[in-house]
Amino acid sequence: MEMVCLDLEGVLVPEIWITFADKVGIAELRLTTRDIPDYDELMQHRLAILRQYRIGLSDIRQVIRQIDPMPGAVDFLDELRAETQAVILSDTFVQFAGPLMEKLNRPTLFCNELLVNGNDQIGGYRLRQPDGKRHAVQAFRSLNMRVTAIGDSYNDLSMIRTADAGALFRPPARITEEHPDLPVFHEYNELLRFLLLPLASQHS
Amino acid sequence: MEMVCLDLEGVLVPEIWITFADKVGIAELRLTTRDIPDYDELMQHRLAILRQYRIGLSDIRQVIRQIDPMPGAVDFLDELRAETQAVILSDTFVQFAGPLMEKLNRPTLFCNELLVNGNDQIGGYRLRQPDGKRHAVQAFRSLNMRVTAIGDSYNDLSMIRTADAGALFRPPARITEEHPDLPVFHEYNELLRFLLLPLASQHS
């Protein structure tokens, strides 16, 4: 049985923090794992800025509700899920993901959780586990699934390298240069063809 | 993060083999794991009957396309997936599941595969792994998810016992008697309340 593991931000929806930063006009919130590969360092930076500007979870949620999946992403995911199994592995938080998952027709999502206090303030976050994307791919493989992983960023490389197959979707040039052996796709129809190829030989 | 693991047949859709047996009028195909707990014994029995009556995969698929989810199942699953993650763990086959998954709005499905030859004849089947439902629950727990498992039949007991919490949905009286400690639900609204209860304390 085939399982496709997809990163969320940059692959199916825009980067949530960047979109939020632009809407509220705080340039320091534009950094992502593309800029700071260490995720905890990045998150502590973000949380400090939120505290400084007194921005609560509900403020962020209001912006997220206005974010749409990338053009073509909904059709891509629908077509993929009509033919095989696909799960989204993300470093985002359940509190952010809801409205985006609804727009993507509710694929299964493995992600993290924010720790929110009674005053709507984000006090911290809880990673489900360190390197959670890689562990998820390993878990699927332990269930005798053939896993293909797709991502765009540094935090996707360990899951891509652990999967049976993998590719980059619209990565920054630096990652493409550092990992010349990985297939790179820029359009959903190309990516869909790559993902459905292993199925063609199995199902008549 | 919470993960709900749901059995398919008997919980969300009618028993596929029973429905097929009734439509084609072959009573011997009505047996399920409720009757023969040993799954391989049951499957060899089914495949022998199909060979005897010269019934191909396309014949079975035609009947499956006419099967609807149980009344209330689509709304139940939609409401559940709006609040938490849910995956279907089934002993059915990818070749059977497609039309039913579409009617259920494409939840993620872990299941098995039929081995079909060029003549549309089902020659055998491939279990993803023995006791696959239990292994899937263990894998989710290894990813630091809190797993609740719901089933109706003998082949669901190991996943229910391995999960952090579990319950029976519309089980036969015999299973209820043999497992008096397990919660039993007969209506989707009761089951939904049971499944969403752990979330109420976490998300404000």
Side-chain angles (χ1 to χ4, degrees):
Chain A
M1 154 159 247
E2 301 281 326
M3 173 61 73
V4 177
C5 295
L6 299 163
D7 177 38
L8 180 63
E9 297 172 66
V11 172
L12 297 170
V13 307
E15 296 287 341
I16 294 173
W17 288 98
I18 289 181
T19 311
F20 179 76
D22 290 346
K23 294 248 182 196
V24 296
I26 303 174
E28 304 150 88
L29 280 177
R30 289 191 103 262
L31 301 184
T32 71
T33 46
R34 290 191 179 188
D35 309 290
I36 304 178
D38 184 292
Y39 184 73
D40 186 61
E41 193 183 324
L42 176 66
M43 274 303 298
Q44 296 307 337
H45 168 80
R46 287 165 171 168
L47 295 180
I49 295 170
L50 294 182
R51 275 191 294 274
Q52 184 190 332
Y53 286 85
R54 298 174 191 277
I55 294 170
L57 175 60
S58 59
D59 301 312
I60 302 178
R61 270 181 169 158
Q62 204 174 333
V63 175
I64 293 175
R65 277 188 213 103
Q66 301 164 29
I67 301 179
D68 281 323
M70 281 147 60
V74 175
D75 286 346
F76 160 75
L77 193 57
D78 280 349
E79 288 176 49
L80 182 66
R81 291 166 69 201
E83 299 295 331
T84 187
Q85 301 302 311
V87 162
I88 295 182
L89 306 184
S90 174
D91 287 333
T92 193
F93 307 99
V94 285
Q95 290 93 338
F96 287 2
L100 289 165
M101 289 302 108
E102 206 177 309
K103 291 179 183 180
L104 289 170
N105 296 326
R106 298 229 166 271
T108 298
L109 169 74
F110 293 5
C111 68
N112 299 310
E113 289 173 275
L114 289 171
L115 304 172
V116 186
N117 66 29
N119 298 327
D120 193 46
Q121 203 185 35
I122 302 171
Y125 69 99
R126 182 164 45 208
L127 285 188
R128 213 181 59 243
Q129 64 192 157
D131 208 0
K133 296 186 186 206
R134 180 173 62 81
H135 284 289
V137 168
Q138 281 176 327
F140 291 135
R141 293 193 70 192
S142 80
L143 300 176
N144 291 335
M145 294 173 175
R146 186 183 175 279
V147 180
T148 306
I150 308 297
D152 72 322
S153 190
Y154 283 104
N155 64 331
D156 299 314
L157 290 170
S158 72
M159 77 163 176
I160 290 174
R161 293 298 183 189
T162 303
D164 297 280
L168 297 166
F169 186 70
R170 300 182 186 171
R174 193 172 140 196
I175 294 184
T176 311
E177 284 157 24
E178 288 170 5
H179 299 270
D181 60 313
L182 291 178
V184 179
F185 299 99
H186 291 94
E187 300 303 327
Y188 287 119
N189 58 355
E190 298 167 354
L191 180 61
L192 190 65
R193 207 176 303 133
F194 170 75
L195 291 172
L196 297 185
L197 208 60
L199 294 172
S201 57
Q202 285 178 32
H203 305 297
S204 54
Chain B
M1 155 158 248
E2 302 279 326
M3 174 60 73
V4 177
C5 294
L6 299 163
D7 176 40
L8 179 63
E9 297 171 65
V11 172
L12 296 170
V13 306
E15 296 287 341
I16 295 173
W17 287 99
I18 289 181
T19 311
F20 179 75
D22 291 347
K23 295 247 182 198
V24 296
I26 302 175
E28 304 149 88
L29 280 176
R30 292 191 99 261
L31 300 184
T32 72
T33 46
R34 289 191 181 190
D35 308 290
I36 304 177
D38 184 292
Y39 184 73
D40 186 62
E41 193 184 323
L42 176 65
M43 274 304 297
Q44 297 307 337
H45 167 80
R46 287 166 171 168
L47 295 180
I49 295 170
L50 294 182
R51 276 191 294 274
Q52 184 189 330
Y53 286 85
R54 298 172 191 277
I55 295 170
L57 175 60
S58 59
D59 302 312
I60 302 178
R61 270 182 170 156
Q62 203 175 331
V63 174
I64 292 175
R65 278 189 213 103
Q66 302 163 27
I67 301 180
D68 281 322
M70 282 149 58
V74 175
D75 286 345
F76 160 75
L77 193 56
D78 280 349
E79 289 177 48
L80 182 65
R81 291 165 68 200
E83 299 295 332
T84 188
Q85 301 303 311
V87 162
I88 295 182
L89 306 184
S90 173
D91 288 332
T92 194
F93 306 99
V94 285
Q95 290 92 339
F96 288 1
L100 289 165
M101 288 303 108
E102 206 177 310
K103 292 180 184 180
L104 289 170
N105 296 324
R106 299 228 167 271
T108 299
L109 169 73
F110 293 6
C111 67
N112 299 309
E113 288 173 275
L114 289 172
L115 305 173
V116 185
N117 67 30
N119 298 326
D120 193 47
Q121 203 186 36
I122 302 170
Y125 67 99
R126 181 163 49 208
L127 285 187
R128 214 183 58 246
Q129 63 192 157
D131 208 1
K133 296 187 186 206
R134 180 173 64 80
H135 285 289
V137 168
Q138 280 177 329
F140 291 136
R141 293 194 68 193
S142 81
L143 300 175
N144 290 334
M145 294 174 174
R146 185 183 176 278
V147 180
T148 306
I150 308 297
D152 72 321
S153 190
Y154 282 105
N155 65 332
D156 299 315
L157 290 170
S158 73
M159 77 163 176
I160 290 174
R161 293 300 184 187
T162 303
D164 297 279
L168 298 165
F169 186 70
R170 299 183 187 171
R174 193 172 138 196
I175 294 183
T176 311
E177 284 157 23
E178 288 169 5
H179 299 270
D181 59 313
L182 291 178
V184 179
F185 299 100
H186 291 94
E187 300 302 328
Y188 286 119
N189 59 356
E190 297 167 355
L191 180 60
L192 189 65
R193 207 176 305 134
F194 170 75
L195 292 172
L196 298 185
L197 208 61
L199 294 171
S201 57
Q202 284 178 32
H203 306 296
S204 53

